[in-house]
Amino acid sequence: MHKHCLSFVFFLKGFVALCAQTLLIRELFVVSHGNELSFGIIFCIWVISGAVGCIISGHIKKQTTYLFLTLLFFEVLWLFAGLIIIRVHQAIFGLNPGEIINIPQMVCLVFITAGIFNFLQGIRFVTGGIILKKQIPDNKAAGLLYGWEGAGALVAGLVFAFVLQRYTDPFQTAGIIMLLDFISAACVFSFDRNYFVRTAWLVLFGFIILSFFYPSVSIYSTLNNKTLMKQWRTKNPPQYYVNTHYGNITVLNDNGQMSFMVDGCLLFTLPHSDVEWIEDVSHFPLLYAKQTDNILVIGAGTKGIIPEILKYNPEGIDCVEIDPELVKITSEYAGSYFSEYRDKRIHFIIDDPVGFLRKSKKKWDVILVDAGLPISLKTARFYTKEFYIVAKEHLNEDGIFYTVIEGSPDYMARPLLDVHKIVYGTLNRVFPVVNIICDYYTGYLAVNKRDAPVFSSDFLIHRFQQKNIATKVISEFYIRDKLDQEKTKKFTTMIMPFDAINSLYRPIIIIPALKHWFYLLTRGVREISIRYFFRALFIVLIVMILIGIIYLLKMRDKKTMALQITVLSTGMLSVAWELVYLFVFQMGFGSIYFYLSVLTGLFMGGLTAGSILCSFYLHRIKNPECLLFIWQIAQAIFAIVSIVFIFLFSRVMIPMAFFFILMIILGFFSGWEFPLINTIYLKNTSNFQKSISGFYAVDLIGSGIGSILTTILFVPFFGLITSGILFFVIRVFAGLVVWKYIFIKGV
């Protein structure tokens, strides 16, 4: 009975861990304005903090149920504290609403929120393992702990995606997590008959039930509204707040001015919208276009350009938007300002723009794209050679492709200039003619045929007069200033040479874009140079790796050294492949926001299957050392399969189910190895506490290294295919270590 109770406790622990991780990542995602680098930072700090907790717990001599319950109690409190700290971080760091935090502040924020939470989880994992070990044999305990925690995470991934994120706000989700933690505490009480502790638990449990389900006492909605008001410094709660499948949408209404925020970034404001940007994006390409009967809009359809496009009397306007909630909110709250959106010629297509173009056979006269700065793989794919080729194939013979990105020749740092070099170079590789419109936002107007009319101020002014379109900003003087030849020549000289090509599976544009993002992040940290920051980061990583290698090589017990290298490499490569799959999924299907918990849950489900199966069949395995070596070969083969999969995905559209299958297989490999490693280690020692804390900590450290290196080094610099080959080489190296120090000696 006790064994089953503790198994359920670890099931709930895995459920709580994944829900809390996803919840905190979503909140921090808004803080970092939706940048994927935040995933690497958050996950690295998350697993390293858990590893530190495991190491510390390995040295705690007296592991009791009281310690377990105390950790559980503080863990619950800190989840709420973490959510509040994230929401009020601007007041803590002295930032204005919507202002992005710098790197040291981001790291500090993640440490004191997600880091402390998982630090407590790391201690609780080992403490619970010691308690469970008294009920079952050593050779099964590690695998069952690992497996039941993974099973909880699998269920959590699905429940969070399809239930919690849809029907609860973040604080209500935290309340449910607290409820589950107290249920797990009830299971632990089966080992203790202290009636005072039980009474205290029942009082707290009753308070949770009452505060969650009785509306007049509920504190969760109040906390959510109060912290949002503090975050955005408004007198009233947000007029609309929702976490959709694709991101966070917040509508603020302060003294009659409405601000539409997506993932913490300002989309547009009403009633005072950015008229200059709207008219620039709309009129320059449409004045030049030979035909304006059919227009495709990507990324700018909800920002106010539709009324301007309708002035050209098109037959139809197709607006592709991946998030239906954003279209609904724009129509509901901005409908009175943009009444033209009700025009029957406007067709909103709810789909990923890239996927839509790959499926569609329709052609347009003009394609307008506003994707934002390419600081993530989600946005960088709109600046790739592959996307431009697909867009060109969907243009009519005289079609125009127009894309806009921030940056002016009058004030542009080197990294942003490199972004423009890559954009211009990639466009020139695909289109025969590319024209430039320079200003605080620079537009690139690509033409589908070489003998198109010369793009000049005289030509556009003639069209402007001919069409007699009413505008607020666009005028003859404005057009001449925008297309001033000296200004354009200066900018073209600045971005020479423009031979760099950005591709879907080698997104080099992310590097300078991230450097520019770092410039924004290091506001107020003037002593930090971006160049030296990157150098220092790589030096620190190299030094850490060298210290680890020296430490392992100096170990007298080479077998233990080999086991730790194997666990480290598996932790690193499991997370690296997981991130690669997430990145490829995002590039192929447009967003990972909703499927983050699903895919992570499936990974943990595979881990559960591998860990529990290995635990139950270990007693039948006569030579676990041989099996460990075979397992390294199997994982190397899996790496080759993954590389082929990524290559094929760049050529054809592969169903989403393949990602689910790969995640399960990846988790299965990781889950099987952990109990196998512990079994081999415990053949020569009976120190279960040292085994479970040490190997779990090394596993988490490897995961941290893999997450940060994959995010900021492997994928941006080497590309996905080359990174996959590098992962294969690392796995082969781990296999050779197992062959030399474990398999040969085991035989």
Side-chain angles (χ1 to χ4, degrees), residues 580-598:
V580 167
Y581 293 152
L582 293 177
F583 293 159
V584 175
F585 184 95
Q586 179 157 284
M587 289 188 294
F589 299 101
S591 176
I592 195 63
Y593 196 75
F594 170 74
Y595 286 99
L596 177 63
S597 64
V598 176

mmCIF file with all atom_site columns, all heavy atoms in Angstrom, residues 580-598:
data_model
loop_
_atom_site.group_PDB
_atom_site.id
_atom_site.type_symbol
_atom_site.label_atom_id
_atom_site.label_alt_id
_atom_site.label_comp_id
_atom_site.label_asym_id
_atom_site.label_entity_id
_atom_site.label_seq_id
_atom_site.pdbx_PDB_ins_code
_atom_site.Cartn_x
_atom_site.Cartn_y
_atom_site.Cartn_z
_atom_site.occupancy
_atom_site.B_iso_or_equiv
_atom_site.pdbx_formal_charge
_atom_site.auth_seq_id
_atom_site.auth_comp_id
_atom_site.auth_asym_id
_atom_site.auth_atom_id
_atom_site.pdbx_PDB_model_num
ATOM 1   N N   . VAL A 1 580 ? 15.439 20.790 -30.965 1.00 0.00 ? 580 VAL A N   1
ATOM 2   C CA  . VAL A 1 580 ? 15.473 20.771 -32.427 1.00 0.00 ? 580 VAL A CA  1
ATOM 3   C C   . VAL A 1 580 ? 14.105 20.398 -32.993 1.00 0.00 ? 580 VAL A C   1
ATOM 4   O O   . VAL A 1 580 ? 13.609 21.023 -33.936 1.00 0.00 ? 580 VAL A O   1
ATOM 5   C CB  . VAL A 1 580 ? 16.561 19.803 -32.944 1.00 0.00 ? 580 VAL A CB  1
ATOM 6   C CG1 . VAL A 1 580 ? 16.385 19.538 -34.437 1.00 0.00 ? 580 VAL A CG1 1
ATOM 7   C CG2 . VAL A 1 580 ? 17.949 20.384 -32.682 1.00 0.00 ? 580 VAL A CG2 1
ATOM 8   N N   . TYR A 1 581 ? 13.477 19.379 -32.411 1.00 0.00 ? 581 TYR A N   1
ATOM 9   C CA  . TYR A 1 581 ? 12.130 18.996 -32.855 1.00 0.00 ? 581 TYR A CA  1
ATOM 10  C C   . TYR A 1 581 ? 11.141 20.146 -32.653 1.00 0.00 ? 581 TYR A C   1
ATOM 11  O O   . TYR A 1 581 ? 10.290 20.409 -33.512 1.00 0.00 ? 581 TYR A O   1
ATOM 12  C CB  . TYR A 1 581 ? 11.635 17.770 -32.090 1.00 0.00 ? 581 TYR A CB  1
ATOM 13  C CG  . TYR A 1 581 ? 12.390 16.503 -32.372 1.00 0.00 ? 581 TYR A CG  1
ATOM 14  C CD1 . TYR A 1 581 ? 12.481 15.488 -31.421 1.00 0.00 ? 581 TYR A CD1 1
ATOM 15  C CD2 . TYR A 1 581 ? 13.037 16.299 -33.592 1.00 0.00 ? 581 TYR A CD2 1
ATOM 16  C CE1 . TYR A 1 581 ? 13.180 14.321 -31.669 1.00 0.00 ? 581 TYR A CE1 1
ATOM 17  C CE2 . TYR A 1 581 ? 13.741 15.134 -33.839 1.00 0.00 ? 581 TYR A CE2 1
ATOM 18  C CZ  . TYR A 1 581 ? 13.811 14.153 -32.882 1.00 0.00 ? 581 TYR A CZ  1
ATOM 19  O OH  . TYR A 1 581 ? 14.516 12.999 -33.130 1.00 0.00 ? 581 TYR A OH  1
ATOM 20  N N   . LEU A 1 582 ? 11.250 20.836 -31.506 1.00 0.00 ? 582 LEU A N   1
ATOM 21  C CA  . LEU A 1 582 ? 10.363 21.964 -31.242 1.00 0.00 ? 582 LEU A CA  1
ATOM 22  C C   . LEU A 1 582 ? 10.582 23.075 -32.259 1.00 0.00 ? 582 LEU A C   1
ATOM 23  O O   . LEU A 1 582 ? 9.621  23.682 -32.749 1.00 0.00 ? 582 LEU A O   1
ATOM 24  C CB  . LEU A 1 582 ? 10.592 22.492 -29.822 1.00 0.00 ? 582 LEU A CB  1
ATOM 25  C CG  . LEU A 1 582 ? 10.197 21.577 -28.661 1.00 0.00 ? 582 LEU A CG  1
ATOM 26  C CD1 . LEU A 1 582 ? 10.555 22.222 -27.325 1.00 0.00 ? 582 LEU A CD1 1
ATOM 27  C CD2 . LEU A 1 582 ? 8.710  21.246 -28.692 1.00 0.00 ? 582 LEU A CD2 1
ATOM 28  N N   . PHE A 1 583 ? 11.856 23.334 -32.591 1.00 0.00 ? 583 PHE A N   1
ATOM 29  C CA  . PHE A 1 583 ? 12.165 24.386 -33.562 1.00 0.00 ? 583 PHE A CA  1
ATOM 30  C C   . PHE A 1 583 ? 11.633 24.028 -34.945 1.00 0.00 ? 583 PHE A C   1
ATOM 31  O O   . PHE A 1 583 ? 11.037 24.859 -35.635 1.00 0.00 ? 583 PHE A O   1
ATOM 32  C CB  . PHE A 1 583 ? 13.675 24.627 -33.631 1.00 0.00 ? 583 PHE A CB  1
ATOM 33  C CG  . PHE A 1 583 ? 14.259 25.226 -32.379 1.00 0.00 ? 583 PHE A CG  1
ATOM 34  C CD1 . PHE A 1 583 ? 15.615 25.109 -32.105 1.00 0.00 ? 583 PHE A CD1 1
ATOM 35  C CD2 . PHE A 1 583 ? 13.459 25.890 -31.466 1.00 0.00 ? 583 PHE A CD2 1
ATOM 36  C CE1 . PHE A 1 583 ? 16.156 25.654 -30.951 1.00 0.00 ? 583 PHE A CE1 1
ATOM 37  C CE2 . PHE A 1 583 ? 13.984 26.441 -30.306 1.00 0.00 ? 583 PHE A CE2 1
ATOM 38  C CZ  . PHE A 1 583 ? 15.333 26.328 -30.056 1.00 0.00 ? 583 PHE A CZ  1
ATOM 39  N N   . VAL A 1 584 ? 11.861 22.780 -35.360 1.00 0.00 ? 584 VAL A N   1
ATOM 40  C CA  . VAL A 1 584 ? 11.387 22.341 -36.675 1.00 0.00 ? 584 VAL A CA  1
ATOM 41  C C   . VAL A 1 584 ? 9.860  22.369 -36.712 1.00 0.00 ? 584 VAL A C   1
ATOM 42  O O   . VAL A 1 584 ? 9.254  22.779 -37.713 1.00 0.00 ? 584 VAL A O   1
ATOM 43  C CB  . VAL A 1 584 ? 11.912 20.925 -37.005 1.00 0.00 ? 584 VAL A CB  1
ATOM 44  C CG1 . VAL A 1 584 ? 11.322 20.421 -38.311 1.00 0.00 ? 584 VAL A CG1 1
ATOM 45  C CG2 . VAL A 1 584 ? 13.436 20.930 -37.092 1.00 0.00 ? 584 VAL A CG2 1
ATOM 46  N N   . PHE A 1 585 ? 9.242  21.949 -35.617 1.00 0.00 ? 585 PHE A N   1
ATOM 47  C CA  . PHE A 1 585 ? 7.776  21.981 -35.520 1.00 0.00 ? 585 PHE A CA  1
ATOM 48  C C   . PHE A 1 585 ? 7.275  23.414 -35.679 1.00 0.00 ? 585 PHE A C   1
ATOM 49  O O   . PHE A 1 585 ? 6.309  23.668 -36.409 1.00 0.00 ? 585 PHE A O   1
ATOM 50  C CB  . PHE A 1 585 ? 7.341  21.414 -34.170 1.00 0.00 ? 585 PHE A CB  1
ATOM 51  C CG  . PHE A 1 585 ? 5.853  21.304 -33.997 1.00 0.00 ? 585 PHE A CG  1
ATOM 52  C CD1 . PHE A 1 585 ? 5.207  20.116 -34.272 1.00 0.00 ? 585 PHE A CD1 1
ATOM 53  C CD2 . PHE A 1 585 ? 5.101  22.388 -33.561 1.00 0.00 ? 585 PHE A CD2 1
ATOM 54  C CE1 . PHE A 1 585 ? 3.836  19.998 -34.115 1.00 0.00 ? 585 PHE A CE1 1
ATOM 55  C CE2 . PHE A 1 585 ? 3.733  22.286 -33.407 1.00 0.00 ? 585 PHE A CE2 1
ATOM 56  C CZ  . PHE A 1 585 ? 3.096  21.090 -33.680 1.00 0.00 ? 585 PHE A CZ  1
ATOM 57  N N   . GLN A 1 586 ? 7.929  24.338 -35.010 1.00 0.00 ? 586 GLN A N   1
ATOM 58  C CA  . GLN A 1 586 ? 7.502  25.738 -35.088 1.00 0.00 ? 586 GLN A CA  1
ATOM 59  C C   . GLN A 1 586 ? 7.679  26.297 -36.486 1.00 0.00 ? 586 GLN A C   1
ATOM 60  O O   . GLN A 1 586 ? 6.821  27.032 -36.986 1.00 0.00 ? 586 GLN A O   1
ATOM 61  C CB  . GLN A 1 586 ? 8.288  26.586 -34.089 1.00 0.00 ? 586 GLN A CB  1
ATOM 62  C CG  . GLN A 1 586 ? 7.931  28.066 -34.129 1.00 0.00 ? 586 GLN A CG  1
ATOM 63  C CD  . GLN A 1 586 ? 8.269  28.772 -32.848 1.00 0.00 ? 586 GLN A CD  1
ATOM 64  O OE1 . GLN A 1 586 ? 7.573  28.639 -31.864 1.00 0.00 ? 586 GLN A OE1 1
ATOM 65  N NE2 . GLN A 1 586 ? 9.343  29.522 -32.856 1.00 0.00 ? 586 GLN A NE2 1
ATOM 66  N N   . MET A 1 587 ? 8.777  25.950 -37.148 1.00 0.00 ? 587 MET A N   1
ATOM 67  C CA  . MET A 1 587 ? 9.003  26.435 -38.505 1.00 0.00 ? 587 MET A CA  1
ATOM 68  C C   . MET A 1 587 ? 7.998  25.842 -39.485 1.00 0.00 ? 587 MET A C   1
ATOM 69  O O   . MET A 1 587 ? 7.596  26.487 -40.449 1.00 0.00 ? 587 MET A O   1
ATOM 70  C CB  . MET A 1 587 ? 10.430 26.104 -38.952 1.00 0.00 ? 587 MET A CB  1
ATOM 71  C CG  . MET A 1 587 ? 11.485 26.920 -38.239 1.00 0.00 ? 587 MET A CG  1
ATOM 72  S SD  . MET A 1 587 ? 13.144 26.701 -38.924 1.00 0.00 ? 587 MET A SD  1
ATOM 73  C CE  . MET A 1 587 ? 13.462 24.999 -38.541 1.00 0.00 ? 587 MET A CE  1
ATOM 74  N N   . GLY A 1 588 ? 7.582  24.607 -39.217 1.00 0.00 ? 588 GLY A N   1
ATOM 75  C CA  . GLY A 1 588 ? 6.669  23.953 -40.138 1.00 0.00 ? 588 GLY A CA  1
ATOM 76  C C   . GLY A 1 588 ? 5.213  24.271 -39.908 1.00 0.00 ? 588 GLY A C   1
ATOM 77  O O   . GLY A 1 588 ? 4.439  24.384 -40.863 1.00 0.00 ? 588 GLY A O   1
ATOM 78  N N   . PHE A 1 589 ? 4.826  24.460 -38.617 1.00 0.00 ? 589 PHE A N   1
ATOM 79  C CA  . PHE A 1 589 ? 3.408  24.636 -38.309 1.00 0.00 ? 589 PHE A CA  1
ATOM 80  C C   . PHE A 1 589 ? 3.075  25.991 -37.694 1.00 0.00 ? 589 PHE A C   1
ATOM 81  O O   . PHE A 1 589 ? 1.931  26.226 -37.311 1.00 0.00 ? 589 PHE A O   1
ATOM 82  C CB  . PHE A 1 589 ? 2.938  23.513 -37.375 1.00 0.00 ? 589 PHE A CB  1
ATOM 83  C CG  . PHE A 1 589 ? 3.081  22.148 -37.979 1.00 0.00 ? 589 PHE A CG  1
ATOM 84  C CD1 . PHE A 1 589 ? 4.149  21.325 -37.639 1.00 0.00 ? 589 PHE A CD1 1
ATOM 85  C CD2 . PHE A 1 589 ? 2.167  21.690 -38.917 1.00 0.00 ? 589 PHE A CD2 1
ATOM 86  C CE1 . PHE A 1 589 ? 4.293  20.064 -38.197 1.00 0.00 ? 589 PHE A CE1 1
ATOM 87  C CE2 . PHE A 1 589 ? 2.300  20.436 -39.482 1.00 0.00 ? 589 PHE A CE2 1
ATOM 88  C CZ  . PHE A 1 589 ? 3.364  19.617 -39.133 1.00 0.00 ? 589 PHE A CZ  1
ATOM 89  N N   . GLY A 1 590 ? 4.069  26.867 -37.570 1.00 0.00 ? 590 GLY A N   1
ATOM 90  C CA  . GLY A 1 590 ? 3.777  28.256 -37.234 1.00 0.00 ? 590 GLY A CA  1
ATOM 91  C C   . GLY A 1 590 ? 3.874  28.647 -35.781 1.00 0.00 ? 590 GLY A C   1
ATOM 92  O O   . GLY A 1 590 ? 4.180  29.788 -35.470 1.00 0.00 ? 590 GLY A O   1
ATOM 93  N N   . SER A 1 591 ? 3.613  27.744 -34.852 1.00 0.00 ? 591 SER A N   1
ATOM 94  C CA  . SER A 1 591 ? 3.660  28.113 -33.438 1.00 0.00 ? 591 SER A CA  1
ATOM 95  C C   . SER A 1 591 ? 3.836  26.868 -32.579 1.00 0.00 ? 591 SER A C   1
ATOM 96  O O   . SER A 1 591 ? 3.270  25.815 -32.869 1.00 0.00 ? 591 SER A O   1
ATOM 97  C CB  . SER A 1 591 ? 2.377  28.836 -33.023 1.00 0.00 ? 591 SER A CB  1
ATOM 98  O OG  . SER A 1 591 ? 2.389  29.121 -31.636 1.00 0.00 ? 591 SER A OG  1
ATOM 99  N N   . ILE A 1 592 ? 4.615  27.029 -31.513 1.00 0.00 ? 592 ILE A N   1
ATOM 100 C CA  . ILE A 1 592 ? 4.854  25.936 -30.576 1.00 0.00 ? 592 ILE A CA  1
ATOM 101 C C   . ILE A 1 592 ? 4.160  26.218 -29.244 1.00 0.00 ? 592 ILE A C   1
ATOM 102 O O   . ILE A 1 592 ? 4.159  25.398 -28.339 1.00 0.00 ? 592 ILE A O   1
ATOM 103 C CB  . ILE A 1 592 ? 6.383  25.746 -30.359 1.00 0.00 ? 592 ILE A CB  1
ATOM 104 C CG1 . ILE A 1 592 ? 6.675  24.405 -29.700 1.00 0.00 ? 592 ILE A CG1 1
ATOM 105 C CG2 . ILE A 1 592 ? 6.969  26.899 -29.548 1.00 0.00 ? 592 ILE A CG2 1
ATOM 106 C CD1 . ILE A 1 592 ? 6.273  23.221 -30.506 1.00 0.00 ? 592 ILE A CD1 1
ATOM 107 N N   . TYR A 1 593 ? 3.526  27.399 -29.134 1.00 0.00 ? 593 TYR A N   1
ATOM 108 C CA  . TYR A 1 593 ? 2.981  27.867 -27.856 1.00 0.00 ? 593 TYR A CA  1
ATOM 109 C C   . TYR A 1 593 ? 2.001  26.866 -27.256 1.00 0.00 ? 593 TYR A C   1
ATOM 110 O O   . TYR A 1 593 ? 2.094  26.492 -26.091 1.00 0.00 ? 593 TYR A O   1
ATOM 111 C CB  . TYR A 1 593 ? 2.308  29.221 -28.073 1.00 0.00 ? 593 TYR A CB  1
ATOM 112 C CG  . TYR A 1 593 ? 2.045  30.007 -26.815 1.00 0.00 ? 593 TYR A CG  1
ATOM 113 C CD1 . TYR A 1 593 ? 3.085  30.655 -26.159 1.00 0.00 ? 593 TYR A CD1 1
ATOM 114 C CD2 . TYR A 1 593 ? 0.771  30.129 -26.281 1.00 0.00 ? 593 TYR A CD2 1
ATOM 115 C CE1 . TYR A 1 593 ? 2.863  31.390 -25.006 1.00 0.00 ? 593 TYR A CE1 1
ATOM 116 C CE2 . TYR A 1 593 ? 0.535  30.858 -25.131 1.00 0.00 ? 593 TYR A CE2 1
ATOM 117 C CZ  . TYR A 1 593 ? 1.583  31.484 -24.507 1.00 0.00 ? 593 TYR A CZ  1
ATOM 118 O OH  . TYR A 1 593 ? 1.359  32.204 -23.363 1.00 0.00 ? 593 TYR A OH  1
ATOM 119 N N   . PHE A 1 594 ? 1.041  26.403 -28.049 1.00 0.00 ? 594 PHE A N   1
ATOM 120 C CA  . PHE A 1 594 ? 0.042  25.454 -27.566 1.00 0.00 ? 594 PHE A CA  1
ATOM 121 C C   . PHE A 1 594 ? 0.633  24.059 -27.403 1.00 0.00 ? 594 PHE A C   1
ATOM 122 O O   . PHE A 1 594 ? 0.377  23.364 -26.419 1.00 0.00 ? 594 PHE A O   1
ATOM 123 C CB  . PHE A 1 594 ? -1.145 25.407 -28.536 1.00 0.00 ? 594 PHE A CB  1
ATOM 124 C CG  . PHE A 1 594 ? -2.113 24.290 -28.253 1.00 0.00 ? 594 PHE A CG  1
ATOM 125 C CD1 . PHE A 1 594 ? -2.978 24.364 -27.179 1.00 0.00 ? 594 PHE A CD1 1
ATOM 126 C CD2 . PHE A 1 594 ? -2.166 23.165 -29.063 1.00 0.00 ? 594 PHE A CD2 1
ATOM 127 C CE1 . PHE A 1 594 ? -3.879 23.344 -26.917 1.00 0.00 ? 594 PHE A CE1 1
ATOM 128 C CE2 . PHE A 1 594 ? -3.062 22.141 -28.806 1.00 0.00 ? 594 PHE A CE2 1
ATOM 129 C CZ  . PHE A 1 594 ? -3.919 22.230 -27.731 1.00 0.00 ? 594 PHE A CZ  1
ATOM 130 N N   . TYR A 1 595 ? 1.443  23.625 -28.375 1.00 0.00 ? 595 TYR A N   1
ATOM 131 C CA  . TYR A 1 595 ? 1.930  22.249 -28.388 1.00 0.00 ? 595 TYR A CA  1
ATOM 132 C C   . TYR A 1 595 ? 3.164  22.042 -27.522 1.00 0.00 ? 595 TYR A C   1
ATOM 133 O O   . TYR A 1 595 ? 3.671  20.926 -27.441 1.00 0.00 ? 595 TYR A O   1
ATOM 134 C CB  . TYR A 1 595 ? 2.240  21.824 -29.830 1.00 0.00 ? 595 TYR A CB  1
ATOM 135 C CG  . TYR A 1 595 ? 1.005  21.567 -30.640 1.00 0.00 ? 595 TYR A CG  1
ATOM 136 C CD1 . TYR A 1 595 ? 0.511  22.525 -31.513 1.00 0.00 ? 595 TYR A CD1 1
ATOM 137 C CD2 . TYR A 1 595 ? 0.304  20.371 -30.524 1.00 0.00 ? 595 TYR A CD2 1
ATOM 138 C CE1 . TYR A 1 595 ? -0.645 22.294 -32.256 1.00 0.00 ? 595 TYR A CE1 1
ATOM 139 C CE2 . TYR A 1 595 ? -0.845 20.130 -31.254 1.00 0.00 ? 595 TYR A CE2 1
ATOM 140 C CZ  . TYR A 1 595 ? -1.309 21.096 -32.118 1.00 0.00 ? 595 TYR A CZ  1
ATOM 141 O OH  . TYR A 1 595 ? -2.454 20.860 -32.843 1.00 0.00 ? 595 TYR A OH  1
ATOM 142 N N   . LEU A 1 596 ? 3.653  23.104 -26.862 1.00 0.00 ? 596 LEU A N   1
ATOM 143 C CA  . LEU A 1 596 ? 4.836  22.964 -26.007 1.00 0.00 ? 596 LEU A CA  1
ATOM 144 C C   . LEU A 1 596 ? 4.601  21.929 -24.915 1.00 0.00 ? 596 LEU A C   1
ATOM 145 O O   . LEU A 1 596 ? 5.405  21.011 -24.725 1.00 0.00 ? 596 LEU A O   1
ATOM 146 C CB  . LEU A 1 596 ? 5.193  24.319 -25.382 1.00 0.00 ? 596 LEU A CB  1
ATOM 147 C CG  . LEU A 1 596 ? 6.369  24.316 -24.399 1.00 0.00 ? 596 LEU A CG  1
ATOM 148 C CD1 . LEU A 1 596 ? 7.657  23.912 -25.109 1.00 0.00 ? 596 LEU A CD1 1
ATOM 149 C CD2 . LEU A 1 596 ? 6.527  25.685 -23.743 1.00 0.00 ? 596 LEU A CD2 1
ATOM 150 N N   . SER A 1 597 ? 3.483  22.043 -24.209 1.00 0.00 ? 597 SER A N   1
ATOM 151 C CA  . SER A 1 597 ? 3.206  21.088 -23.132 1.00 0.00 ? 597 SER A CA  1
ATOM 152 C C   . SER A 1 597 ? 2.855  19.709 -23.687 1.00 0.00 ? 597 SER A C   1
ATOM 153 O O   . SER A 1 597 ? 3.184  18.689 -23.077 1.00 0.00 ? 597 SER A O   1
ATOM 154 C CB  . SER A 1 597 ? 2.059  21.605 -22.251 1.00 0.00 ? 597 SER A CB  1
ATOM 155 O OG  . SER A 1 597 ? 0.849  21.689 -22.979 1.00 0.00 ? 597 SER A OG  1
ATOM 156 N N   . VAL A 1 598 ? 2.209  19.657 -24.864 1.00 0.00 ? 598 VAL A N   1
ATOM 157 C CA  . VAL A 1 598 ? 1.841  18.370 -25.466 1.00 0.00 ? 598 VAL A CA  1
ATOM 158 C C   . VAL A 1 598 ? 3.092  17.587 -25.862 1.00 0.00 ? 598 VAL A C   1
ATOM 159 O O   . VAL A 1 598 ? 3.257  16.407 -25.510 1.00 0.00 ? 598 VAL A O   1
ATOM 160 C CB  . VAL A 1 598 ? 0.930  18.571 -26.695 1.00 0.00 ? 598 VAL A CB  1
ATOM 161 C CG1 . VAL A 1 598 ? 0.633  17.235 -27.374 1.00 0.00 ? 598 VAL A CG1 1
ATOM 162 C CG2 . VAL A 1 598 ? -0.371 19.250 -26.285 1.00 0.00 ? 598 VAL A CG2 1
#
